[in-house]
Amino acid sequence: MPSSRGSLRPRDGPASLMSPPLAEVAVAEFHKKIKEAFEVFDHESNNTVDVREVGTIIRSLGCCPSEGELHDLIAEVEEEEPTGYIRFEKFLPVMTEVLLERRYRPIPEDILLRAFEVLDPAKRGFLSKDELIKYMTEEGEPFSQEEMEEMLSAAIDPESNSIHYKDYITMMVIDEN
Amino acid sequence: MNTPNLEDMGCGTSSATKDKKSEKALKAALVIQNWYRGYSARLKTRQRYALTIFQSIEYADEQGQLQLSNFFSFMLENYTNVPEKEPGLVTRLFGSSIQDKDRQDYLGLIEIPDSYCGPRLQFPLTFTDIDLLIEAFKQQQILHAYYVLEVLFETKKVLQQMPNFTHTNTSPSKEITICGDLHGKLDDLFLIFYKNGLPSVTNPYVFNGDFVDRGKNSMEILMILFVSFLVYPNDLHLNRGNHEDFMMNMRYGFTKEILHKYKLHGKKILQILEEVYTWLPIGTIIDNEVLVIHGGISESTDLNLLHRIERNKMRSVLMPPIPMDGDRAEKKNKLGTATVALGIRTSGSFSEQLTKQEWEQVIDILWSDPRGKRGCYPNTNRGGGCYFGPDITSKILNKYQLKMLVRSHECKPEGYEICHDGKVITVFSASNYYEEGSNRGAYIRMSSGTTPRFFQYQITKATCFRPLYQRVNAIESSAIRMLKERMISRKTDLIRAFQLQDRNKSGKLSMGQWAFSMENVLGLNLPWRSLSSHLVTTDKDGNIDYMSGFQDVHIQKPVKEVQSSLIETVYRYRSDLQIIFNIIDSDHSGLISMEEFRSMWRLFKSHYSVHIDDSQFDELAERMDLNKDGSIDFNEFLKAFYVVHKFDQLNKSDTKLA
């Protein structure tokens, strides 16, 4: 990405004499955060990203929309005639609102644990590989084959061919923090 | 007759429970899927951030590298201030080193001991020699210097017959394979040959530059490629990359590799190699349709001119042609007098360089990068070549009736990338370039009239892939280490910038202020807000304790009494200093005199506006007790400056790019 190195003129200067109202500062910070996340996927540095990466960008900003909700969001930011690319100008206002309204909050750890327990009514403490595959690829918003393989590679204990979900959740949570 | 449905048969309660049960299962599945997709997206983003960090630092380093050429010009201009013991430096940079090296001069004096059990090549070379080399290198054998030199001499001889651009044709039954940067990663080359077959008359290849530097088997890759070229000169095509440059090799590892593997004859090898590089073709044109070059183009790219120039006069990107026009006559005279005083052969030396225009044309080809923005802009990240937009691609391709540009030069996560509406393809063949798990490698197979096919791969040391989160963790930690080392090397400037904004001296800044200062000083164009959690501590109000960024790293002080600012400066410029030392040390002994050391430092100081007392530097040199009969082992000197990461198993900075 071309940088404006060599110029000591600040692109946006430090706070002026009068501090702007808190809400404005918050929005400005959101804008910068969103811009950063967007730019990382803007491979050609022309303020557009591939529509297939929009979900990743939104989730990287801490939101957890379902596939259905994501679909709706994409419809909001797409062009009238979809080009396969999403422009930053359209993405920014929509995403800012999402962040301001704190929409699509992530799932808390305990709810996630309960979900696994629902699928394990016998309370064995684990799900077999086949059971996990069945639920993930047949229920809800089914996983693609790639998503399934990816989850299995980290979750499955190869010796027992099962997923001990409590340990798995703990491991994932530690990794994120 | 309808088969009765369980639910219709009045099993009222159990069907209701069944529905409730499956509804719960549905909801549970949704929760897990939702959570997983969020987690997976965040993993991929972390991977992307790590790659961005690697890439930004790599390009910033390249930019620093190219700025050295300014320093060299500066040194030459101030030559008369330097004591007479500098002839080595001036000859290297300015004088012509092309006294035609006689083959016998080199080979005649080398004997292969009977104890040598490495591969023995038979000239004229045949395909058995290719197999021989591959087998030997798989067993980590080293090719004897005698054969290396023979191969280099032969390669130069054959390359000299070739034009600046290789023209070749394909047919439906004879596809051609194009490979990108290999950077000394031998395993990737082996994998390509395994998947795609060895080069032959029916299996032609183009290797698009950057065969060497960074990886640890640059020599082996070069030997395999050159031997294959000698066996199949019309079917194995080599293009020059920006790393086929003796000065780049000094910084990025190949010179070190050669001197290490060939302790006795390394210098000779380096000398011949320098010339061989200059004879590598600039590019390949396939079927008069596809232009294959290492970097890219600019709006002024003139293929006709490039076909005509004397390409072997392009010695290094760090040696731009010295200006010769009227108003520089005085300068020229100064230099002229100086060189005469040293008895350097200068007759015709000015005509042994390219014109400024020709030189820039070549730089554009080797260093440019495509971008989405229209137009042509100086490539500020790298410091050489330009960024060219889709309109430039169209213009140049149309001008020469070409259909496509295939280039390399940039690492891509998937090993290849298509841009500019399908007209530009980037192909990069070194997998795991930055770090294990960082990216795939790829190669292209194409023939006239068919769509190019892409083949991807990734080398892994383990027998099975580690799960994604472990791989991401690995590259993320590596990237953050590198970034922290960058920060520590600019600690003084960063603290100054932070304090400027910290009016009430609280030790804290807002996220915005911190990010602004970081970018202003480091200029890496990184997503600072997203990276902040890895670099600094934030309090509950969201404010950043800016000194926390320096807490768990410090530069090892080789001598306690010397000021931190000097240590920091030497650490920061150590790569540049490495090159400069290597150039002064023209006989590659690893030693330079104390005089040369001091005077070089003084020049460096004034050009880079470094404000450190001369006496401090002298003290440092003396204290480190590196004097061996009045000379300094500069490799040892530079190695003594490294970064310590407090919470790290590895104690020495392990920067892969150095």
Side-chain angles (χ1 to χ4, degrees), chain A residues 8-27:
Chain A
L8 288 177
R9 239 175 299 124
R11 279 175 288 187
D12 29 39
S16 57
L17 282 173
M18 304 268 283
S19 247
L22 223 54
E24 256 182 59
V25 172
V27 168

Side-chain angles (χ1 to χ4, degrees), chain B residues 339-571:
Chain B
T339 52
V340 164
L342 289 178
I344 295 172
R345 222 163 43 98
T346 58
S347 51
S349 63
F350 278 117
S351 72
E352 286 191 25
Q353 48 181 29
L354 297 171
T355 67
K356 182 161 183 279
Q357 186 202 19
E358 290 170 340
W359 192 82
E360 278 172 3
Q361 288 269 335
V362 179
I363 295 289
D364 285 340
I365 297 289
L366 299 179
W367 285 81
S368 300
D369 293 313
R371 284 294 180 268
K373 201 162 146 193
R374 295 171 65 85
C376 191
Y377 307 88
N379 191 325
T380 44
N381 267 348
R382 298 209 201 235
C386 68
Y387 291 122
F388 60 100
D391 51 330
I392 305 291
T393 299
S394 298
K395 176 175 150 205
I396 301 291
L397 289 181
N398 288 338
K399 186 170 169 193
Y400 298 102
Q401 283 133 22
L402 298 163
K403 294 220 180 107
M404 197 193 292
L405 173 64
V406 176
R407 43 88 64 176
S408 305
H409 196 42
E410 283 182 295
C411 175
K412 298 292 177 190
E414 291 301 311
Y416 74 96
E417 195 173 272
I418 307 177
C419 65
H420 291 190
D421 223 6
K423 298 212 183 91
V424 175
I425 300 180
T426 303
V427 61
F428 193 86
S429 301
S431 68
N432 303 331
Y433 178 58
Y434 293 117
E435 177 64 73
E436 170 110 13
S438 65
N439 64 291
R440 292 162 120 171
Y443 58 87
I444 311 174
R445 282 185 71 91
M446 62 164 70
S447 69
S448 169
T450 61
T451 339
R453 293 183 294 147
F454 299 89
F455 295 82
Q456 298 163 293
Y457 51 85
Q458 194 162 14
I459 300 282
T460 176
K461 291 201 195 98
T463 46
C464 62
F465 256 135
R466 290 185 289 168
L468 184 61
Y469 80 92
Q470 275 184 20
R471 285 180 277 145
V472 172
N473 272 339
I475 67 172
E476 188 179 55
S477 333
S478 190
I480 297 294
R481 272 174 72 97
M482 215 173 231
L483 193 48
K484 282 193 161 163
E485 286 174 11
R486 202 74 176 189
M487 282 167 64
I488 202 83
S489 78
R490 303 295 301 270
K491 182 174 172 180
T492 313
D493 292 336
L494 280 169
I495 294 181
R496 197 181 304 133
F498 292 146
Q499 285 173 342
L500 221 66
Q501 302 218 37
D502 181 15
R503 308 283 168 81
N504 26 356
K505 309 216 183 301
S506 58
K508 301 224 170 139
L509 290 177
S510 72
M511 176 67 82
Q513 290 173 314
W514 179 80
F516 168 74
S517 307
M518 290 293 280
E519 182 57 31
N520 220 7
V521 173
L522 296 177
L524 292 171
N525 205 12
L526 289 175
W528 297 109
R529 287 166 181 77
S530 312
L531 296 172
S532 60
S533 58
H534 295 288
L535 300 172
V536 283
T537 48
T538 314
D539 67 19
K540 51 181 169 49
D541 299 320
N543 290 321
I544 293 182
D545 171 0
Y546 52 82
M547 290 305 288
S548 61
F550 305 111
Q551 249 159 28
D552 51 349
V553 256
H554 67 268
I555 302 173
Q556 186 70 356
K557 260 193 179 177
V559 174
K560 264 204 303 225
E561 293 80 1
V562 176
Q563 275 176 11
S564 298
S565 49
L566 172 57
I567 305 287
E568 197 180 302
T569 305
V570 177
Y571 177 75

Side-chain angles (χ1 to χ4, degrees), chain A residues 40-55:
Chain A
V40 162
F41 291 90
D42 176 14
H43 307 306
E44 291 194 37
S45 309
N46 56 357
N47 290 329
T48 64
V49 298
D50 190 320
V51 66
R52 291 166 293 182
E53 310 213 84
V54 169

Side-chain angles (χ1 to χ4, degrees), chain A residues 89-159:
Chain A
E89 296 81 51
K90 290 204 97 176
F91 182 75
L92 182 65
V94 173
M95 197 63 221
T96 310
E97 229 184 278
V98 166
L99 289 181
L100 280 173
E101 294 173 12
R102 297 174 61 78
R103 274 194 261 162
Y104 316 126
R105 297 276 84 213
I107 313 269
E109 200 184 318
D110 53 333
I111 306 282
L112 183 57
L113 181 60
R114 293 259 293 121
F116 274 104
E117 286 173 347
V118 162
L119 300 181
D120 175 27
K123 306 262 174 286
R124 299 159 298 172
F126 65 85
L127 288 176
S128 78
K129 179 173 167 187
D130 290 335
E131 284 170 343
L132 184 67
I133 294 180
K134 174 163 160 279
Y135 284 122
M136 294 294 102
T137 58
E138 291 177 20
E139 302 276 358
E141 292 175 324
F143 274 173
S144 68
Q145 193 188 1
E146 206 186 316
E147 285 175 313
M148 193 68 248
E149 277 170 18
E150 215 178 83
M151 183 179 186
L152 286 174
S153 74
I156 287 288
D157 163 30
E159 283 178 26

Side-chain angles (χ1 to χ4, degrees), chain B residues 593-650:
Chain B
S593 73
M594 195 63 171
E595 280 302 304
E596 289 170 326
F597 188 65
R598 276 210 194 92
S599 58
M600 188 279 330
W601 171 255
R602 276 197 288 273
L603 277 176
F604 185 88
K605 228 188 74 169
S606 70
H607 178 71
Y608 281 88
S609 301
V610 165
H611 303 294
I612 306 263
D613 229 36
D614 279 346
S615 58
Q616 279 271 310
F617 188 78
D618 289 341
E619 177 158 346
L620 176 66
E622 310 241 2
R623 289 289 198 125
M624 288 182 72
D625 195 27
L626 297 174
N627 277 23
K628 296 173 182 177
D629 308 322
S631 345
I632 295 194
D633 182 334
F634 57 84
N635 284 315
E636 289 305 311
F637 175 78
L638 290 173
K639 263 204 285 197
F641 294 82
Y642 58 92
V643 171
V644 178
H645 295 262
K646 205 154 97 173
F647 300 112
D648 213 68
Q649 285 100 334
L650 313 140

